[in-house]
Amino acid sequence: MSEAQERAWSELAPAYVIEAPRDIASTSIRPGSAIDPVEVWGREAPLIVEIGSGQGHAVVHAASSRPADDFLAIEVFRAGLARTMLDADRAGARNLRLVEANAPEVLEHLLPAASVAELWVFFPDPWHKKKHTKRRLVTADFALIAGGALRDGGMLRFATDWEDYALQMREVMSAASDFEPAFEGQWAPRFDGRVLTAFERKGARVGREIRDLAYRRATRT
Ligand SMILES: C[S@@+](CC[C@H](N)C(=O)[O-])C[C@H]1O[C@@H](n2cnc3c(N)ncnc32)[C@H](O)[C@@H]1O
């Protein structure tokens, strides 16, 4: 991290970063470490979670423009989290918390079951080379874990600039019994709450089409 980012981390982390109990890896979450959102955010409010928040552009914008909701940014890239805290502090966003951890473990072990109102996955790493596609985040296991974290009727939103990843997302989610599509036709309309990030700009610049997908968590029986 740069010196400014190091400074941001030590000054702002106490207010923004959730210190999670770890398992073996430094970005893991120890099973059985569920937080109480009311205690962490100091109130009861819909919780919106962004996975792979990068520099934090989308989540900081959302947190500062939706003060009635609470936000959690999950990211493994520490410099991105430092940038996010600096911008959140500048924007006066007090309804945002960050966790430096592997997202599926956060959903499974840090957040209580059925506690999330919306889950956002915008421009996840594409791993577009054939030998790497198995590293992609959006798989059947991910859908199962996301279904556990989302409350009934909660939304799972994706955006990607890689066509074959968009197709994979749609295939995975069509087979996921906890979810139903929240759009008609091939793709969801662009989500209003999604600000333009560097990744989207880069994809669009090289001529890749941006696709949104949205799924609703079915009611538990
Ligand atoms: C391509 S970037 C997109 C960032 C941001 N969503 C945007 O649109 O600007 C993907 C981000 O996901 C993060 N990431 C990848 N795997 C992750 C995981 N398992 N848990 C948390 N974050 C992850 C990466 O560190 C990276 O910052």
Side-chain angles (χ1 to χ4, degrees):
M1 290 199 294
S2 69
E3 217 171 282
Q5 285 165 336
E6 291 281 6
R7 211 169 38 244
W9 193 272
S10 53
E11 282 171 16
L12 298 173
Y16 282 103
V17 176
I18 298 176
E19 284 305 337
R22 306 297 181 179
D23 210 341
I24 297 164
S26 64
T27 55
S28 63
I29 302 285
R30 192 183 309 150
S33 313
I35 54 166
D36 175 2
V38 173
E39 208 174 280
V40 172
W41 279 269
R43 63 176 181 174
E44 215 161 300
L47 177 61
I48 322 298
V49 177
E50 184 179 17
I51 289 180
S53 49
Q55 305 283 331
H57 296 134
V59 82
V60 170
H61 172 83
S64 45
S65 53
R66 292 170 62 174
D69 296 329
D70 289 336
F71 290 84
L72 177 66
I74 311 174
E75 180 51 69
V76 288
F77 171 46
R78 184 174 265 235
L81 288 171
R83 172 84 264 152
T84 304
M85 281 194 282
L86 279 168
D87 288 349
D89 189 52
R90 231 170 263 139
R94 302 282 168 257
N95 53 344
L96 171 64
R97 296 292 180 279
L98 279 48
V99 62
E100 183 185 19
N102 176 33
E105 291 178 75
V106 173
L107 299 183
E108 200 173 4
H109 304 308
L110 195 70
L111 295 172
S115 62
V116 176
E118 284 194 36
L119 191 54
W120 297 350
V121 189
F122 299 153
F123 303 95
D125 290 328
W127 297 113
H128 54 88
K129 288 190 183 147
K130 223 174 182 71
K131 62 179 178 192
H132 291 151
T133 52
K134 57 180 179 297
R135 297 185 192 171
R136 285 177 172 172
L137 177 78
V138 185
T139 60
D141 281 352
F142 175 80
L144 211 59
I145 291 170
L150 278 163
R151 68 185 189 192
D152 290 1
M155 293 292 292
L156 175 51
R157 299 183 185 281
F158 301 103
T160 181
D161 55 335
W162 287 88
E163 183 181 17
D164 70 316
Y165 202 179
L167 292 169
Q168 174 172 331
M169 289 169 176
R170 210 170 53 182
E171 193 181 314
V172 162
M173 295 307 298
S174 315
S177 53
D178 288 343
F179 290 93
E180 52 209 31
F183 58 95
E184 282 170 19
Q186 293 236 58
W187 309 105
R190 189 183 200 286
F191 170 46
D192 265 354
R194 188 164 70 68
V195 298
L196 187 72
T197 67
F199 284 95
E200 176 166 8
R201 209 173 299 124
K202 191 172 147 206
R205 202 173 48 231
V206 297
R208 286 197 292 268
E209 195 177 322
I210 314 298
R211 293 180 174 85
D212 281 64
L213 300 92
Y215 296 85
R216 197 177 303 284
R217 178 36 166 119
T219 302
R220 289 165 173 81
T221 49

